[in-house]
Amino acid sequence: MNRELDVITHVAFDTTNEEATIKTIEYQYETYGFKKFVLCGNTLGFRTKGHPPKEFFIKLAKAFSVISQAVSKKGIQCGWWVQPSLKSGRSKDFQAIVKSNGEEHPFANCPHDKNFANTLAQNIAQFAKIAKPEFIFIEDDFSITSASGKLGCFCPLHLAEFSKREGKNYSREELLEIFNSNTPNGFSLLKRFKALMLDSMVEISKLIRSELDKENSNIPIVLCEPGSTDSNGEMTEPVAVALAGKNNVPMVRFHGTFYNGGESKSIPGVLYHATYMKEHVKSKIKFYHETDSYPQTRFFTSAKQMRAIMAIAFSTGFEGTFFTHVNALDTLASSKEESAYGKMLLKEKERFNNAYLTSRLCERVGVELPYTAFYNALDSGDKNPYWTRFVTLLGIPYTTKNSNIAFIDERQAKHLTESELLNYLNKVLFLDGDGAKALCERGLSKYIGVSVGEDVTEGLFNYDLGAKEVIEPEFAISALSKKMPPTQAFCVGRNGKQYSLKKNSEQVKTITKTFTFDDCYVTDGATFYENELGGKIVVMGMTLKGNISQALFNYRRKALTIDLLKQFNCNFPMVLFEPNVHLICNKAKDPNEAQFEYMLSLINVGDDNLSEISLCLPKEMQNLTPYYYSKADGFIKVDFEKADGHITIKHLLDYCNFVCIYFK
């Protein structure tokens, strides 16, 4: 375990004042020990002025060279942040990206325009020839759909190429009508259209690499993954490989952070996509996390929140961080004004490194939260699985890979093939109301045991704030009360729907029932059914989309869900009592090499300090002993108590802090 986390930090530089940038870099080196810097020139103003001329990149390169040579004497490496890329300002010589409504983007150029692609590639190569950067980062707006919107570019060049591929002339209006039809044909055509968007990005990436290779084929190019990567034909992996070329290992800074602040409880969801990519990328790629507190001030995001974000990334096996902690305007002043992020990393780097060193020897286990990139990316709201917040705040570990227990939402229920759905329906499967309704509409109700009706909270029942959802005695095992808040419990703008559930078989068991304030039965709230495939299906009539209500998040539903998972013989631990503790469960691939069997990362994303954490353990963990681990001290026993398959870890876990516990 002798590897170290790779920390690359970001500094803006001004071509008119190289000395100020040198002082900023030296200050951060002396204060925090940072040795790798990505320098970003002041270029975004060209969005309003027009595409920068070749002379600008030459001027930028000369300034970079002065800075890089000055700091290299201290062993500091400097790379270049390519910004702008596509959103570089308009020019009469280039085709603009065209949105689905027919409007040209005011400052984004189309990568399918060979003239623009050649110009961008040559400017990057010209910069590298003069500046000689150690590495190059391509900004996270390097994506068509970052400018066009989720469908893609409808410029004349793309329309002509797509018509050629299809053997049929299509206008923008014709394509939109088909894309918006929500039919299999519409989705199929849209997938082929997005394949063209992907090809455009891969081709411009190959051109950039080819031009740079003429100067130096050993300069790595890092892709800063756009948030729109999946709507751009799932571009991350193929574009990263194209940018790397033959002589470099592909590198990606994967997105997953707060911009302009956020709620701590949403942190696990922020890292979902990065986790998905870590578990599904096939190529050998270096994984760097986007540790960006934009606008890099605690007026928006606290250093403790960034600590929690980084803890999740490194517990997922990320090997480096692109650490953006200083505002771009007057970086020396910003470095001195906002020191909390740098101090946090300096303090926590050893713990982060321990998490990385050990998690890379593991694979995640937990309930399966699947992601269908094409369809999830079409969602105008939450692109993560709708179960993500529920599972993570209840302290249930998840994986995005195949597991014997899965939680799916309406997007999988609507769009997976019947064969794929049957694979889910023969395992332990949790469905919310929308997911179950979609399966019924596809004629698969016999496998889930119920028919899903209409929303019972419409009408006067919506105002019955004395209503309740009651757990049936058979399933009320750990909950201290059988009564839970109903779906419509007061929670303005954050409630789900409650569909009626009608049993299709006498074998269906009722888990909960919904009643009015005066105990009149309304509908079953949740059901359980073991189907003919051997699948064990839990249907919750309440819907998840946009649901952040007390009906969904309460101690009794947490206890009920954990009891159900225990009955299904889950092979992972869960947080028993405490709310808002995100649990990552890593199982060692080779316990002899790792020197442990399980690594649990516990991240407190709640606002309260916890004096202890209680876990229920699967049978395979109940005879194991918990330890801390550090590279310096090795394994040290944890203070704990065990009883009845549960373990209480005696460890103070304060706000947005984390601890890694190793069972061996």
Short mmCIF file of all heavy atoms in Angstrom, two decimals, residues 59-85:
data_model
loop_
_atom_site.label_atom_id
_atom_site.label_comp_id
_atom_site.label_asym_id
_atom_site.label_seq_id
_atom_site.Cartn_x
_atom_site.Cartn_y
_atom_site.Cartn_z
N LYS A 59 0.36 34.51 -27.05
CA LYS A 59 0.60 35.38 -25.89
C LYS A 59 0.37 34.62 -24.59
O LYS A 59 1.14 34.73 -23.63
CB LYS A 59 -0.35 36.59 -25.97
CG LYS A 59 -0.18 37.58 -24.84
CD LYS A 59 -1.15 38.75 -25.02
CE LYS A 59 -1.00 39.76 -23.87
NZ LYS A 59 -1.97 40.89 -24.02
N LEU A 60 -0.70 33.81 -24.57
CA LEU A 60 -1.03 33.01 -23.40
C LEU A 60 0.10 32.01 -23.11
O LEU A 60 0.51 31.82 -21.96
CB LEU A 60 -2.34 32.26 -23.66
CG LEU A 60 -3.16 31.76 -22.48
CD1 LEU A 60 -3.69 32.92 -21.65
CD2 LEU A 60 -4.34 30.91 -22.98
N ALA A 61 0.61 31.39 -24.16
CA ALA A 61 1.66 30.39 -23.99
C ALA A 61 2.95 31.01 -23.46
O ALA A 61 3.64 30.41 -22.62
CB ALA A 61 1.92 29.70 -25.33
N LYS A 62 3.27 32.18 -23.95
CA LYS A 62 4.51 32.84 -23.48
C LYS A 62 4.40 33.19 -22.00
O LYS A 62 5.37 33.03 -21.24
CB LYS A 62 4.77 34.09 -24.32
CG LYS A 62 5.22 33.77 -25.74
CD LYS A 62 5.44 35.04 -26.55
CE LYS A 62 5.94 34.72 -27.95
NZ LYS A 62 6.12 35.95 -28.78
N ALA A 63 3.23 33.66 -21.58
CA ALA A 63 3.03 33.97 -20.16
C ALA A 63 3.10 32.70 -19.31
O ALA A 63 3.72 32.68 -18.24
CB ALA A 63 1.68 34.66 -19.96
N PHE A 64 2.48 31.63 -19.81
CA PHE A 64 2.54 30.34 -19.12
C PHE A 64 3.98 29.89 -18.96
O PHE A 64 4.39 29.41 -17.89
CB PHE A 64 1.75 29.30 -19.92
CG PHE A 64 1.73 27.92 -19.32
CD1 PHE A 64 0.62 27.47 -18.61
CD2 PHE A 64 2.81 27.06 -19.46
CE1 PHE A 64 0.59 26.20 -18.06
CE2 PHE A 64 2.80 25.79 -18.91
CZ PHE A 64 1.68 25.35 -18.21
N SER A 65 4.77 30.02 -20.00
CA SER A 65 6.16 29.57 -19.98
C SER A 65 6.96 30.30 -18.91
O SER A 65 7.75 29.69 -18.19
CB SER A 65 6.79 29.78 -21.35
OG SER A 65 8.12 29.32 -21.36
N VAL A 66 6.74 31.60 -18.81
CA VAL A 66 7.44 32.39 -17.77
C VAL A 66 7.10 31.87 -16.38
O VAL A 66 7.97 31.68 -15.53
CB VAL A 66 7.06 33.88 -17.90
CG1 VAL A 66 7.59 34.68 -16.70
CG2 VAL A 66 7.60 34.46 -19.20
N ILE A 67 5.82 31.62 -16.15
CA ILE A 67 5.36 31.15 -14.84
C ILE A 67 5.90 29.75 -14.55
O ILE A 67 6.44 29.48 -13.48
CB ILE A 67 3.81 31.15 -14.79
CG1 ILE A 67 3.28 32.58 -14.92
CG2 ILE A 67 3.31 30.50 -13.50
CD1 ILE A 67 1.80 32.65 -15.25
N SER A 68 5.75 28.86 -15.52
CA SER A 68 6.14 27.47 -15.34
C SER A 68 7.64 27.34 -15.06
O SER A 68 8.06 26.59 -14.16
CB SER A 68 5.76 26.67 -16.58
OG SER A 68 6.16 25.33 -16.45
N GLN A 69 8.45 28.07 -15.82
CA GLN A 69 9.89 28.00 -15.61
C GLN A 69 10.30 28.55 -14.25
O GLN A 69 11.20 28.02 -13.59
CB GLN A 69 10.61 28.76 -16.73
CG GLN A 69 10.54 28.06 -18.07
CD GLN A 69 11.30 28.79 -19.16
OE1 GLN A 69 12.38 29.34 -18.90
NE2 GLN A 69 10.74 28.82 -20.37
N ALA A 70 9.61 29.59 -13.80
CA ALA A 70 9.95 30.20 -12.51
C ALA A 70 9.69 29.25 -11.34
O ALA A 70 10.49 29.15 -10.41
CB ALA A 70 9.17 31.50 -12.34
N VAL A 71 8.57 28.54 -11.39
CA VAL A 71 8.21 27.68 -10.25
C VAL A 71 8.81 26.28 -10.36
O VAL A 71 8.85 25.54 -9.38
CB VAL A 71 6.68 27.59 -10.09
CG1 VAL A 71 6.09 28.97 -9.84
CG2 VAL A 71 6.02 26.94 -11.29
N SER A 72 9.28 25.92 -11.55
CA SER A 72 9.84 24.57 -11.73
C SER A 72 11.09 24.36 -10.88
O SER A 72 11.45 23.22 -10.56
CB SER A 72 10.16 24.32 -13.20
OG SER A 72 11.20 25.17 -13.64
N LYS A 73 11.74 25.43 -10.51
CA LYS A 73 12.95 25.34 -9.68
C LYS A 73 12.66 24.72 -8.32
O LYS A 73 13.56 24.20 -7.66
CB LYS A 73 13.56 26.74 -9.50
CG LYS A 73 13.96 27.42 -10.81
CD LYS A 73 14.28 28.88 -10.60
CE LYS A 73 14.52 29.59 -11.94
NZ LYS A 73 14.73 31.05 -11.77
N LYS A 74 11.39 24.76 -7.91
CA LYS A 74 10.99 24.17 -6.63
C LYS A 74 10.34 22.80 -6.82
O LYS A 74 9.74 22.26 -5.88
CB LYS A 74 10.02 25.12 -5.91
CG LYS A 74 10.66 26.45 -5.54
CD LYS A 74 9.75 27.30 -4.67
CE LYS A 74 10.45 28.60 -4.27
NZ LYS A 74 9.62 29.43 -3.38
N GLY A 75 10.46 22.25 -8.02
CA GLY A 75 9.88 20.94 -8.28
C GLY A 75 8.39 20.98 -8.56
O GLY A 75 7.71 19.95 -8.48
N ILE A 76 7.87 22.16 -8.90
CA ILE A 76 6.43 22.33 -9.17
C ILE A 76 6.16 22.10 -10.64
O ILE A 76 6.89 22.59 -11.51
CB ILE A 76 5.97 23.75 -8.75
CG1 ILE A 76 6.14 23.93 -7.24
CG2 ILE A 76 4.53 23.99 -9.18
CD1 ILE A 76 5.92 25.35 -6.77
N GLN A 77 5.11 21.33 -10.93
CA GLN A 77 4.71 21.06 -12.31
C GLN A 77 3.47 21.89 -12.67
O GLN A 77 2.57 22.06 -11.85
CB GLN A 77 4.37 19.58 -12.49
CG GLN A 77 5.55 18.64 -12.28
CD GLN A 77 5.16 17.19 -12.51
OE1 GLN A 77 4.00 16.86 -12.72
NE2 GLN A 77 6.14 16.31 -12.45
N CYS A 78 3.45 22.37 -13.90
CA CYS A 78 2.32 23.17 -14.36
C CYS A 78 1.71 22.57 -15.61
O CYS A 78 2.41 22.18 -16.55
CB CYS A 78 2.76 24.60 -14.66
SG CYS A 78 3.21 25.56 -13.20
N GLY A 79 0.40 22.49 -15.63
CA GLY A 79 -0.35 22.08 -16.80
C GLY A 79 -1.27 23.20 -17.24
O GLY A 79 -1.42 24.21 -16.54
N TRP A 80 -1.89 23.01 -18.38
CA TRP A 80 -2.75 24.06 -18.95
C TRP A 80 -4.19 23.59 -19.00
O TRP A 80 -4.48 22.46 -19.39
CB TRP A 80 -2.28 24.42 -20.36
CG TRP A 80 -3.12 25.46 -21.06
CD1 TRP A 80 -3.63 26.60 -20.53
CD2 TRP A 80 -3.52 25.44 -22.43
NE1 TRP A 80 -4.34 27.31 -21.48
CE2 TRP A 80 -4.29 26.61 -22.66
CE3 TRP A 80 -3.31 24.54 -23.49
CZ2 TRP A 80 -4.84 26.91 -23.90
CZ3 TRP A 80 -3.86 24.84 -24.73
CH2 TRP A 80 -4.62 26.02 -24.93
N TRP A 81 -5.09 24.48 -18.62
CA TRP A 81 -6.53 24.26 -18.68
C TRP A 81 -7.04 24.89 -19.97
O TRP A 81 -7.01 26.11 -20.13
CB TRP A 81 -7.18 24.91 -17.46
CG TRP A 81 -8.68 24.95 -17.40
CD1 TRP A 81 -9.49 25.92 -17.90
CD2 TRP A 81 -9.55 24.00 -16.77
NE1 TRP A 81 -10.81 25.65 -17.62
CE2 TRP A 81 -10.87 24.46 -16.92
CE3 TRP A 81 -9.34 22.81 -16.09
CZ2 TRP A 81 -11.97 23.77 -16.42
CZ3 TRP A 81 -10.43 22.12 -15.59
CH2 TRP A 81 -11.73 22.60 -15.76
N VAL A 82 -7.48 24.05 -20.92
CA VAL A 82 -7.99 24.54 -22.20
C VAL A 82 -9.39 25.10 -21.98
O VAL A 82 -10.36 24.36 -21.85
CB VAL A 82 -8.01 23.43 -23.27
CG1 VAL A 82 -8.58 23.98 -24.58
CG2 VAL A 82 -6.62 22.88 -23.49
N GLN A 83 -9.43 26.41 -21.94
CA GLN A 83 -10.72 27.10 -21.80
C GLN A 83 -10.58 28.45 -22.50
O GLN A 83 -9.66 29.21 -22.16
CB GLN A 83 -11.07 27.29 -20.33
CG GLN A 83 -12.44 27.87 -20.08
CD GLN A 83 -12.68 28.15 -18.61
OE1 GLN A 83 -11.94 28.94 -18.00
NE2 GLN A 83 -13.71 27.55 -18.03
N PRO A 84 -11.41 28.72 -23.46
CA PRO A 84 -12.58 27.98 -23.89
C PRO A 84 -12.24 26.88 -24.90
O PRO A 84 -11.18 26.91 -25.52
CB PRO A 84 -13.44 29.05 -24.55
CG PRO A 84 -12.43 30.00 -25.14
CD PRO A 84 -11.27 30.00 -24.17
N SER A 85 -13.18 25.93 -25.05
CA SER A 85 -13.04 24.90 -26.07
C SER A 85 -14.12 25.12 -27.13
O SER A 85 -13.89 25.83 -28.11
CB SER A 85 -13.10 23.50 -25.45
OG SER A 85 -14.30 23.32 -24.71
#
